Amino acid sequence: MSDLRDTAPYDALLLLSFGGPEGPDDVVPFLANVTRGRGIPEERLKEVGQHYFLFGGVSPINAQNRALLEALRKDFADHGVDLPIYWGNRNWAPYLTDVLREMTADGHRRIAVLATSAYASYSGCRQYRENLAESLAALAAEGLDVPRVDKLRHYFNHPGFVGPMADGVLASLADLPEDVRAGAHIAFTTHSIPTSAADASGPVEAHGEGGAYVAEHLDVARLIIEAVRAETGVEHPWQLVYQSRSGAPHIPWLEPDICDHLEALHGEDVPAVVMAPIGFVSDHMEVLYDLDTEATAKAAELGLPVRRSATVGDDPRFAAAVRDLVLERAASERGRAVERCALGSLGPSHDLCPVGCCPARAPKPAAAGADSPYV
């Protein structure tokens, strides 16, 4: 096999995602999984679940992961990369532990893992690693020969991730009325997290105000703004803003919220806005509700023309980027010198999460890192 197609030492790829309900009866049990250990009563879960019930109790995330899975399999096959691809979720079927058990039964011993989160943070990286460690511990308790799992690096600045988003912003700008297009503001959105979690995101040396989480999003936003300027000759005003806050009111979270931001822009007589959800891989529930429903309604109330640009989803360029990440990591694990593909000022992310990277409030074992009990 050509070295350019050699996935050794990996014998499988796991697409690891959040999961979501696929019908009304799934909503409360799904939310119970997400909030396990927090003691949230069922009545409160039903209130939170109203966002899902507005869409028939179905989150689009599982269907989108199935589409990405097929895109990955097609890309790998088209390029002669012989690597089976599985899919597992943290919070809904197919559950991570069940899929790792299946992969172990199928004889896989060294598994590369792609998480559907592109940036550094506790919830976007370390929590996935903790879930992996929990599942591997469950397999070990069953007497199974636990495989080694390696999480692929953060891909926020890979051209196959940035390019589709830049094209989405260009398409949204083109869809605005011509008389407001040139003055349109770009609101780059991502999931709000507690400021304490943001400040502690990334390796220890990156800790500080906003940490790696904010720095990485800002770098992507600048890349997209430059791509738009190169294509249109217009440098649009922009800001990184936040959505989907879910924490207690007394705990500081990243701000401003997208709806508050739209009100502020309206007060400044901004003629139009493109909302670009750069923090999300696909159009899942938080994009559909917080942007397409809530923020779009706020813009309509203000009389502010608004468009929402596309996420990466199953774009073939993203599938190719995943192939690139797998082959890059495989070559590195074989001791080969590797040129890592990354745009912007931050460079490629680390392969192995170091000790102290995106720490949890309560330390728990985490796989696929320098402090992993599973190597």
Coordinates of all heavy atoms in Angstrom, one line a residue, residues 18-19 26-49 52 90-92 127 131 246-247 361 364:
F18 N -22.3 13.9 20.0 CA -23.1 14.2 21.2 C -24.3 13.4 21.3 O -24.7 12.9 22.3 CB -23.5 15.7 21.2 CG -24.0 16.2 22.4 CD1 -23.2 16.6 23.5 CD2 -25.4 16.4 22.6 CE1 -23.7 17.1 24.7 CE2 -25.9 16.9 23.8 CZ -25.1 17.2 24.8
G19 N -25.0 13.2 20.1 CA -26.2 12.4 20.1 C -27.4 13.3 20.3 O -27.3 14.5 20.8
D26 N -38.2 10.2 23.2 CA -36.8 10.2 23.5 C -36.3 11.4 24.2 O -35.2 11.4 24.8 CB -35.9 10.1 22.2 CG -36.2 8.8 21.4 OD1 -36.7 7.9 22.0 OD2 -35.8 8.7 20.2
V27 N -37.1 12.5 24.1 CA -36.5 13.8 24.6 C -36.1 13.9 26.0 O -35.0 14.2 26.4 CB -37.6 15.0 24.3 CG1 -37.1 16.3 24.9 CG2 -37.8 15.1 22.7
V28 N -37.1 13.5 26.9 CA -36.7 13.6 28.4 C -35.6 12.6 28.7 O -34.7 12.9 29.5 CB -38.0 13.4 29.2 CG1 -37.7 13.3 30.7 CG2 -38.9 14.6 29.0
P29 N -35.7 11.3 28.3 CA -34.6 10.4 28.6 C -33.2 10.9 28.1 O -32.2 10.7 28.7 CB -35.0 9.1 27.9 CG -36.5 9.1 27.8 CD -36.8 10.6 27.6
F30 N -33.2 11.5 26.9 CA -32.0 12.1 26.3 C -31.5 13.2 27.2 O -30.3 13.2 27.6 CB -32.3 12.6 24.9 CG -31.2 13.6 24.4 CD1 -30.0 13.1 24.0 CD2 -31.5 14.9 24.3 CE1 -29.0 14.0 23.6 CE2 -30.5 15.8 23.9 CZ -29.3 15.4 23.5
L31 N -32.3 14.1 27.6 CA -31.9 15.2 28.5 C -31.5 14.7 29.9 O -30.6 15.3 30.5 CB -33.0 16.2 28.6 CG -33.4 17.0 27.4 CD1 -34.6 17.9 27.6 CD2 -32.2 17.9 26.9
A32 N -32.1 13.6 30.3 CA -31.6 13.0 31.6 C -30.2 12.5 31.4 O -29.4 12.6 32.4 CB -32.6 11.9 32.0
N33 N -29.9 11.9 30.3 CA -28.5 11.5 30.0 C -27.6 12.6 30.0 O -26.5 12.6 30.6 CB -28.4 10.7 28.7 CG -29.1 9.4 28.7 OD1 -29.3 8.8 29.7 ND2 -29.4 8.9 27.5
V34 N -27.9 13.7 29.4 CA -27.1 14.9 29.2 C -26.8 15.5 30.6 O -25.7 15.9 30.9 CB -27.7 15.9 28.3 CG1 -26.9 17.2 28.3 CG2 -27.8 15.4 26.9
T35 N -27.8 15.5 31.5 CA -27.7 16.2 32.8 C -27.5 15.2 33.9 O -27.6 15.6 35.1 CB -28.9 17.0 33.0 OG1 -30.1 16.2 33.1 CG2 -29.1 18.1 32.0
R36 N -27.1 14.0 33.6 CA -27.0 13.0 34.7 C -26.0 13.5 35.8 O -25.0 14.0 35.5 CB -26.4 11.7 34.1 CG -26.3 10.5 35.1 CD -25.8 9.3 34.5 NE -26.8 8.7 33.6 CZ -26.7 8.6 32.3 NH1 -25.6 9.0 31.7 NH2 -27.7 8.0 31.6
G37 N -26.5 13.2 37.0 CA -25.6 13.6 38.2 C -25.9 15.0 38.7 O -25.4 15.4 39.7
R38 N -26.8 15.8 38.0 CA -27.0 17.2 38.4 C -28.3 17.3 39.2 O -28.7 18.4 39.7 CB -27.1 18.1 37.2 CG -25.8 18.1 36.4 CD -26.0 19.1 35.3 NE -25.1 18.8 34.2 CZ -25.1 19.4 33.0 NH1 -26.0 20.4 32.8 NH2 -24.3 19.1 32.0
G39 N -29.1 16.2 39.4 CA -30.3 16.2 40.2 C -31.4 17.1 39.6 O -32.2 17.7 40.4
I40 N -31.5 17.2 38.3 CA -32.5 18.1 37.7 C -33.8 17.3 37.6 O -33.9 16.2 37.0 CB -32.1 18.5 36.3 CG1 -30.8 19.4 36.4 CG2 -33.2 19.3 35.6 CD1 -30.3 19.9 35.1
P41 N -34.9 17.8 38.1 CA -36.2 17.0 38.1 C -36.8 16.9 36.7 O -36.5 17.7 35.8 CB -37.1 17.9 39.0 CG -36.5 19.3 39.0 CD -35.1 19.1 38.8
E42 N -37.6 15.9 36.6 CA -38.2 15.6 35.3 C -39.0 16.7 34.7 O -39.0 17.0 33.5 CB -39.1 14.3 35.3 CG -39.6 13.9 34.0 CD -40.4 12.6 34.0 OE1 -40.0 11.7 34.8 OE2 -41.3 12.4 33.3
E43 N -39.7 17.4 35.6 CA -40.6 18.6 35.1 C -39.7 19.6 34.5 O -40.1 20.3 33.5 CB -41.4 19.1 36.2 CG -42.6 18.3 36.7 CD -43.4 17.9 35.5 OE1 -43.8 18.8 34.7 OE2 -43.7 16.7 35.3
R44 N -38.5 19.9 35.1 CA -37.6 20.9 34.5 C -37.1 20.4 33.1 O -36.9 21.1 32.2 CB -36.5 21.1 35.4 CG -35.4 22.1 34.9 CD -35.9 23.4 34.5 NE -34.9 24.3 33.9 CZ -35.1 25.2 33.0 NH1 -36.4 25.5 32.6 NH2 -34.2 26.0 32.6
L45 N -36.8 19.1 33.0 CA -36.3 18.5 31.8 C -37.4 18.7 30.7 O -37.1 18.9 29.5 CB -36.0 17.0 31.9 CG -34.8 16.7 32.8 CD1 -34.6 15.2 32.9 CD2 -33.5 17.4 32.4
K46 N -38.7 18.5 31.0 CA -39.7 18.7 30.1 C -39.8 20.1 29.6 O -40.0 20.4 28.4 CB -41.1 18.3 30.7 CG -41.2 16.8 30.9 CD -42.6 16.5 31.5 CE -42.7 15.0 31.8 NZ -44.0 14.7 32.4
E47 N -39.5 21.1 30.5 CA -39.5 22.5 30.1 C -38.3 22.7 29.1 O -38.5 23.4 28.1 CB -39.3 23.4 31.3 CG -40.5 23.4 32.2 CD -40.2 24.3 33.5 OE1 -39.3 25.1 33.4 OE2 -40.9 24.1 34.5
V48 N -37.2 22.2 29.4 CA -36.0 22.4 28.6 C -36.3 21.7 27.2 O -35.8 22.2 26.2 CB -34.7 21.8 29.2 CG1 -33.6 21.8 28.3 CG2 -34.4 22.5 30.5
G49 N -37.0 20.6 27.2 CA -37.2 19.9 26.0 C -38.2 20.5 25.0 O -38.4 20.0 23.9
Y52 N -37.0 20.9 21.5 CA -37.0 19.7 20.7 C -38.5 19.4 20.3 O -38.7 19.0 19.1 CB -36.5 18.5 21.5 CG -35.0 18.6 21.7 CD1 -34.5 19.1 22.9 CD2 -34.1 18.2 20.8 CE1 -33.1 19.2 23.2 CE2 -32.7 18.2 21.0 CZ -32.2 18.8 22.2 OH -30.9 18.9 22.4
R90 N -22.2 10.1 22.8 CA -22.1 10.3 24.3 C -23.5 10.1 25.0 O -23.5 9.5 26.0 CB -21.6 11.7 24.6 CG -20.1 11.9 24.3 CD -19.7 13.3 24.4 NE -20.3 14.0 25.6 CZ -20.1 15.3 25.9 NH1 -19.4 16.0 25.1 NH2 -20.6 15.8 27.0
N91 N -24.5 10.6 24.4 CA -25.8 10.7 25.1 C -27.0 10.0 24.5 O -28.1 10.1 25.1 CB -26.1 12.2 25.3 CG -25.1 13.0 26.1 OD1 -24.8 12.7 27.2 ND2 -24.4 13.9 25.4
W92 N -26.9 9.4 23.4 CA -28.0 8.7 22.8 C -27.5 7.6 21.8 O -26.3 7.6 21.4 CB -28.9 9.6 22.1 CG -30.3 9.1 21.9 CD1 -30.9 8.7 20.8 CD2 -31.2 8.8 23.0 NE1 -32.2 8.2 21.0 CE2 -32.4 8.2 22.4 CE3 -31.2 8.9 24.3 CZ2 -33.5 7.8 23.1 CZ3 -32.3 8.5 25.1 CH2 -33.4 8.0 24.5
Q127 N -14.2 16.4 28.0 CA -15.4 15.6 28.3 C -15.5 14.4 27.4 O -15.9 13.3 27.9 CB -16.6 16.4 28.4 CG -17.8 15.7 29.0 CD -19.0 16.7 29.3 OE1 -19.0 17.8 28.7 NE2 -19.9 16.2 30.1
N131 N -15.5 10.5 28.6 CA -16.5 9.5 28.2 C -15.8 8.3 27.6 O -16.2 7.1 27.8 CB -17.4 10.1 27.1 CG -18.3 11.2 27.6 OD1 -18.5 12.2 26.9 ND2 -18.7 11.1 28.9
S246 N -26.7 27.9 28.9 CA -27.7 27.0 29.7 C -27.4 27.0 31.2 O -27.9 26.2 31.9 CB -27.6 25.6 29.1 OG -26.3 25.1 29.2
G247 N -26.5 27.8 31.7 CA -26.1 27.8 33.0 C -26.9 28.7 34.0 O -27.7 29.4 33.5
R361 N -13.8 20.5 36.6 CA -13.9 21.0 38.0 C -13.6 19.9 38.9 O -13.0 20.1 40.0 CB -15.4 21.5 38.2 CG -15.7 22.7 37.4 CD -17.0 23.3 37.8 NE -18.1 22.4 37.4 CZ -18.6 22.4 36.2 NH1 -18.2 23.3 35.3 NH2 -19.6 21.5 35.9
K364 N -11.3 13.6 36.6 CA -11.8 12.3 36.3 C -10.8 11.7 35.3 O -10.1 12.4 34.5 CB -13.2 12.3 35.6 CG -14.3 12.8 36.6 CD -15.6 12.9 35.8 CE -16.1 11.6 35.3 NZ -17.5 11.7 34.7

